[in-house]
């Protein structure tokens, strides 16, 4: 009897040992299964990422190929297929080739150069406008143009000549002369780095092109769009932007009203922030400063942005901006710019037709700016060295370029919008 009872504890201990061993085996199996599931998930994620990269690179190669095979030189006639009022004094013009042939792809952020035959003007008026839709929309080009009315503080000033012509004189069915898409300000679609797109007012147009391209391509790049206007009267394509954010989890929209209308603009519904777009706002909203930044807007805004981002520790190489007309800014630290001006040799630039000889001391950004500051009228367009409108004959001397021209002009001529004198200079202007 004692032997029988003695066997009980042994059996219990054996059962405990077996149960412990079984639990260890189960734990090992579960751990192995969990590791396998994790490894499988990581492998699937890596494969999806690789697939997206391959698709993006394939898309970029396709864009480059189509650009090379269907581009054109000089002017090409386009018909206005649609004219759509967007609100805020902005209208979108959808352009299709008059000859019915294909149109080349472009880089999101580039612009079209127009040669406009404005009544009572001897020479064509040349102006550049950003493309405002995805390059994957192959049936037409779209430009969105704001009517440049006289400023509120000077109502007697003339309205913008080209924008008024587009809004008041051009309609569906009309023909315009256009140069091929160009410009060095664009989003590299082959990259996968996170981006911040910043549009002030009508500066939203190239950002729309970039945003639409990212969404249409299936890219999963983390994308923030900061859009700044005064109030809801100037807020355009609001439904489209909201839909882009809702349909793409990687897109984050931040709308800023600097002067919201009381009782009309509702925070949280119409806009997100009752302030101007600023680097201080980025510091509150963005997880870090580790992004590529694309900026287009009024000159003071872009100047503030580029300086503020530099102070925040963002490398200049990660900051890109549109540089049309008076909105031009330079990525030069204030101290560097002052030193360059202080050490610049004093040269003379003679404008032979105007009968003026001006001192060049480095305070002007370009020969064109020097001329305009001193009442000399010179033709210009893109102010980025691409459209060729400002080409001027050089009668004596040589120039340097502050950036690479889109195409070098003929011998003994220069692009005054991006040129500076290398020595005493005489121009046929």
């Amino acid at each position: 009897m004692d032997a029988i009872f003695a066997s009980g504890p042994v059996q219990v201990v054996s059962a405990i040992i077996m149960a412990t061993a079984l639990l260890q085996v189960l734990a090992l199996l579960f751990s192995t299964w969990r590791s396998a599931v994790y490894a499988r998930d990581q492998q699937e994620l890596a494969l999806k990422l690789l697939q997206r990269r391959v698709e993006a690179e394939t898309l970029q190669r396709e864009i480059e190929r189509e650009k090379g095979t269907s581009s054109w030189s000089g002017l090409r006639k386009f018909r206005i297929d649609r004219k759509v009022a967007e609100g805020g004094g902005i209208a979108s013009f959808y352009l299709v080739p008059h000859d019915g042939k294909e149109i080349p792809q472009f880089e999101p952020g580039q612009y079209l150069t127009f040669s406009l035959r404005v009544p009572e003007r001897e020479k064509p008026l040349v102006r550049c406008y950003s493309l405002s839709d995805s390059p994957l929309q192959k049936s037409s080009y779209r430009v969105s143009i704001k009517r440049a009315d006289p400023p509120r503080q000077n109502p007697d000033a003339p309205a913008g000549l080209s924008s008024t012509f587009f809004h008041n004189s051009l309609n569906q069915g009309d023909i315009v002369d256009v140069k091929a898409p160009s410009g060095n300000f664009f989003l590299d679609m082959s990259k996968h780095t996170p981006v911040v797109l910043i549009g002030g007012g009508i500066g939203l147009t190239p950002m729309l092109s970039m945003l639409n391209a990212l969404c249409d391509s299936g890219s999963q790049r983390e994308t923030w769009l900061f859009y700044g206007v005064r109030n809801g009267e100037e807020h355009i394509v609001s439904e489209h932007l909201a839909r882009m954010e809702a349909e793409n989890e990687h897109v984050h929209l931040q709308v800023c009203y600097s002067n919201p209308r009381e009782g009309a603009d509702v925070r949280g519904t119409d806009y997100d922030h009752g302030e101007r777009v600023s680097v201080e706002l980025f510091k509150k909203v963005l997880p870090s400063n580790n992004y590529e930044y694309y900026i287009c807007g009024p000159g003071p805004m872009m100047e503030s942005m580029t300086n503020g981002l530099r102070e925040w520790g963002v490398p200049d190489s990660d900051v890109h901006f549109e540089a049309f007309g008076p909105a031009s800014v330079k990525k030069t630290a204030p101290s560097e710019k002052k030193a360059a001006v202080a050490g610049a040799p004093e040269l003379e630039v003679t404008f032979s037709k105007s009968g003026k000889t001006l001192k060049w001391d480095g305070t002007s950004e370009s020969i064109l700016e020097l001329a305009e500051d001193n009442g000399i009228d010179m033709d210009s367009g893109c102010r980025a060295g691409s459209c060729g409108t400002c080409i001027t004959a050089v009668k004596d001397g040589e120039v340097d370029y502050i950036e690479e021209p889109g195409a070098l002009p003929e011998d003994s001529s220069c692009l005054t919008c991006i040129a500076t004198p290398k020595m005493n200079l005489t121009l046929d202007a």
Side-chain angles (χ1 to χ4, degrees):
M1 183 69 68
D2 292 339
I4 294 174
F5 285 111
S7 64
V10 173
Q11 290 176 341
V12 171
V13 171
S14 298
I16 292 173
I17 293 173
M18 291 180 62
T20 302
L22 180 60
L23 287 173
Q24 289 177 340
V25 170
L26 289 174
L28 179 62
L29 290 173
F30 177 75
S31 177
T32 303
W33 173 80
R34 186 172 62 179
S35 298
V37 170
Y38 177 77
R40 185 193 63 196
D41 290 345
Q42 289 298 105
Q43 185 178 25
E44 289 179 355
L45 184 62
L47 286 173
K48 287 181 180 178
L49 181 60
L50 178 61
Q51 182 180 2
R52 291 192 184 111
R53 288 182 175 177
V54 169
E55 289 173 352
E57 290 171 4
T58 302
L59 176 63
Q60 188 65 21
R61 285 197 296 270
E62 179 183 344
I63 290 174
E64 291 297 329
R65 184 177 66 253
E66 292 194 15
K67 282 170 59 182
T69 56
S70 57
S71 189
W72 72 92
S73 59
L75 295 171
R76 183 177 177 185
K77 294 190 179 299
F78 277 73
R79 175 174 53 84
I80 298 175
D81 186 54
R82 281 188 292 154
K83 178 181 179 180
V84 179
E86 304 286 8
I90 296 171
S92 289
F93 297 81
Y94 292 78
L95 309 170
V96 297
H98 184 56
D99 58 16
K101 297 180 181 179
E102 291 184 355
I103 56 176
Q105 297 257 348
F106 58 92
E107 302 287 359
Q110 290 189 309
Y111 58 82
L112 293 178
T113 302
F114 293 83
S115 179
L116 306 172
R117 299 189 177 278
V118 179
E120 300 180 0
R121 182 180 169 90
E122 290 185 10
K123 294 193 297 183
L125 180 66
V126 178
R127 289 293 185 268
C128 302
Y129 291 102
S130 295
L131 288 148
S132 61
D133 205 353
S134 166
L136 301 180
Q137 301 296 323
K138 301 180 181 180
S139 60
S140 64
Y141 289 144
R142 184 180 75 181
V143 292
S144 301
I145 300 172
K146 182 177 178 64
R147 186 180 59 247
D149 296 324
R152 292 190 300 274
Q153 63 272 24
N154 187 12
D156 295 329
L161 190 58
S162 61
S163 66
T164 300
F165 180 68
F166 264 100
H167 277 259
N168 296 350
S169 302
L170 293 179
N171 294 291
Q172 182 175 330
D174 287 339
I175 305 296
V176 289
D177 293 326
V178 185
K179 286 189 176 182
S182 59
N184 298 319
F185 173 75
F186 57 82
L187 179 69
D188 186 347
M189 292 293 290
S190 67
K191 288 187 176 182
H192 311 283
T193 49
V195 295
V196 175
L197 311 178
I198 306 157
I202 193 59
L204 176 69
T205 52
M207 303 306 146
L208 268 177
S209 178
M210 296 178 190
L211 178 67
N212 290 355
L214 287 168
C215 294
D216 288 351
S217 69
S219 170
Q220 296 298 306
R221 294 170 74 172
E222 181 186 348
T223 303
W224 292 77
L225 172 62
F226 287 83
Y227 174 33
V229 290
R230 283 188 300 170
N231 51 48
E233 289 183 344
E234 297 182 354
H235 188 169
I236 66 169
V237 296
S238 57
E239 292 182 1
H240 173 76
L241 292 176
R243 186 172 68 254
M244 290 294 99
E245 182 181 36
E247 295 177 354
N248 299 274
E249 61 181 6
H250 61 284
V251 172
H252 309 280
L253 175 64
Q254 301 289 308
V255 177
C256 298
Y257 285 4
S258 61
N259 188 23
R261 299 167 298 172
E262 186 174 353
D265 297 327
V266 180
R267 185 168 183 171
T269 301
D270 301 311
Y271 67 100
D272 301 291
H273 308 281
E275 58 185 284
R276 298 180 187 275
V277 181
S278 67
V279 176
E280 291 306 312
L281 180 61
F282 298 163
K283 293 177 181 178
K284 299 175 189 175
V285 175
L286 296 176
S288 72
N289 67 350
N290 190 26
Y291 294 84
E292 282 196 76
Y293 298 81
Y294 292 81
I295 313 167
C296 186
M301 169 191 163
M302 296 208 297
E303 194 76 40
S304 172
M305 284 286 169
T306 53
N307 291 336
L309 289 171
R310 185 184 301 112
E311 292 171 1
W312 195 24
V314 178
D316 280 353
S317 58
D318 287 342
V319 180
H320 316 274
F321 51 83
E322 185 57 280
F324 283 160
S328 298
V329 294
K330 299 298 173 188
K331 290 182 186 175
T332 304
S335 60
E336 294 173 341
K337 186 172 182 180
K338 287 179 183 178
V341 171
E346 281 206 2
L347 303 176
E348 289 185 345
V349 180
T350 299
F351 298 85
S352 59
K353 286 184 179 178
S354 303
K356 290 186 178 181
T357 297
L358 305 176
K359 296 287 186 182
W360 175 272
D361 59 5
T363 56
S364 299
E365 293 286 0
S366 65
I367 294 170
L368 176 62
E369 184 179 298
L370 175 70
E372 291 177 336
D373 288 345
N374 289 274
I376 299 173
D377 185 26
M378 299 183 72
D379 288 333
S380 64
C382 69
R383 296 178 181 252
S386 296
C387 71
T389 307
C390 68
I391 289 179
T392 303
V394 177
K395 300 179 76 173
D396 187 48
E398 297 179 10
V399 301
D400 284 325
Y401 287 111
I402 56 180
E403 58 185 79
E404 188 70 23
L408 285 172
E410 59 269 22
D411 292 341
S412 301
S413 295
C414 72
L415 297 166
T416 59
C417 72
I418 57 170
T420 61
K422 194 174 182 179
M423 57 185 67
N424 288 337
L425 190 67
T426 301
L427 298 178
D428 186 35

